[in-house]
Amino acid sequence: MNIILLGAPGAGKGTQATRIEEHYNVRHISTGDIFRHHMRQQTEIGQLARSYIKKGLLVPDEVTLRIVGIALEESKNENFMLDGFPRNINQATELDKIARIDKVINIAVDFDVLMNRICGRRNCPECGYTTHVSQLGGEGTCPKCGSEMQQRMDDREDTVKSRLTVYTEQTAPLIEFYKAQGKLFEVDGMGTPDEVFAEVRKVLG
Ligand code: ADP
Ligand code: ZN
């Protein structure tokens, strides 16, 4: 089964992706993670991606489609879960030409909580653990491995505003796109990660 995770920034796609990956036999493909990897490695793609990501804009489709094409090629004969892709109608149309999608899960979260979730998000650069600053109890260190927790450059308030605008204008229309294909499943993303995952399991079986 091939899955797409849809949802606004901060809806909890990454958190659910980790759980889905542990319970179902799917390969997690996150375009955001791939771009961040390129940025750390300072590749040409990384440098180009950075100039868009830091402004909260989408990386041009031509580049995004190329990295997704490579990732799908690598996961040939394997089930996959796309996280952060597609993000506009053109990407979804192109995806339909190269892969078969079975289920699309839309994680729905009230808009007013997204800002707080994203601006409070902290990540561990060593082990990838992600949590909210309120869960760190004043400690700046990772509860899993002890490294210094960091904030993503695009999780600062001004960038988050443009990410949410981009989401509303370009990504939200995908909900109707996949509804029309009969593939859309709605999940309430307002609960705890475990509660949300319980809903996800009802969809995935
Ligand atoms: P979030 O879902 O929290 O916004 P991601 O890690 O998925 O975070 O994406 C971070 C940034 O990477 C996006 O704001 C965008 O600039 C870029 N990006 C990720 N996926 C795509 C995509 N499918 N198309 C264009 N840009 C993308
Ligand atoms: Zn860590």
Side-chain angles (χ1 to χ4, degrees):
M1 186 166 49
N2 297 326
I3 309 164
I4 293 174
L5 285 183
L6 273 187
K13 297 187 298 288
T15 303
Q16 294 306 316
T18 307
R19 285 171 164 71
I20 294 169
E21 213 183 359
E22 282 165 9
H23 283 80
Y24 298 89
N25 187 24
V26 291
R27 185 182 174 113
H28 180 196
I29 300 173
S30 159
T31 42
D33 285 350
I34 297 172
F35 285 135
R36 281 185 287 277
H37 179 78
H38 276 282
M39 291 193 284
R40 278 195 302 276
Q41 304 293 315
Q42 303 188 332
T43 66
E44 216 169 295
I45 288 179
Q47 273 162 9
L48 182 111
R50 183 187 309 269
S51 65
Y52 292 90
I53 290 175
K54 70 173 186 226
K55 293 186 203 137
L57 302 174
L58 295 186
V59 177
D61 286 355
E62 186 225 308
V63 178
T64 304
L65 287 164
R66 203 170 351 128
I67 64 154
V68 169
I70 293 167
L72 289 177
E73 193 63 36
E74 283 169 1
S75 60
K76 239 186 189 152
N77 310 319
E78 254 180 296
N79 292 322
F80 60 83
M81 165 179 52
L82 289 165
D83 159 12
F85 180 94
R87 250 180 162 89
N88 61 30
I89 297 284
N90 180 51
Q91 291 180 5
T93 309
E94 291 301 314
L95 176 64
D96 276 344
K97 295 179 190 166
I98 56 172
R100 189 201 77 244
I101 302 300
D102 300 298
K103 288 187 179 176
V104 178
I105 300 180
N106 182 46
I107 306 178
V109 171
D110 293 349
F111 239 72
D112 51 344
V113 311
L114 293 174
M115 190 62 113
N116 171 46
R117 277 202 193 176
I118 305 170
C119 296
R121 179 157 68 185
R122 298 293 181 273
N123 311 283
C124 174
E126 285 303 317
C127 72
Y129 180 71
T130 299
T131 192
H132 193 269
V133 67
S134 62
Q135 302 295 307
L136 290 171
E139 300 281 322
T141 52
C142 173
K144 305 273 179 209
C145 77
S147 303
E148 196 70 26
M149 296 293 276
Q150 290 178 358
Q151 184 178 40
R152 257 165 59 179
M153 67 171 174
D154 58 339
D155 279 352
R156 292 163 208 275
E157 195 171 333
D158 45 341
T159 312
V160 174
K161 284 194 182 127
S162 58
R163 283 163 65 197
L164 291 176
T165 305
V166 167
Y167 170 78
T168 306
E169 291 175 355
Q170 302 194 48
T171 311
L174 292 176
I175 296 172
E176 290 305 320
F177 180 91
Y178 286 114
K179 225 180 243 174
Q181 292 192 1
K183 294 176 182 166
L184 191 86
F185 295 84
E186 293 274 0
V187 160
D188 179 358
M190 295 293 284
T192 64
D194 286 342
E195 286 165 353
V196 178
F197 186 55
E199 295 296 312
V200 168
R201 295 195 76 160
K202 285 185 199 160
V203 173
L204 295 181

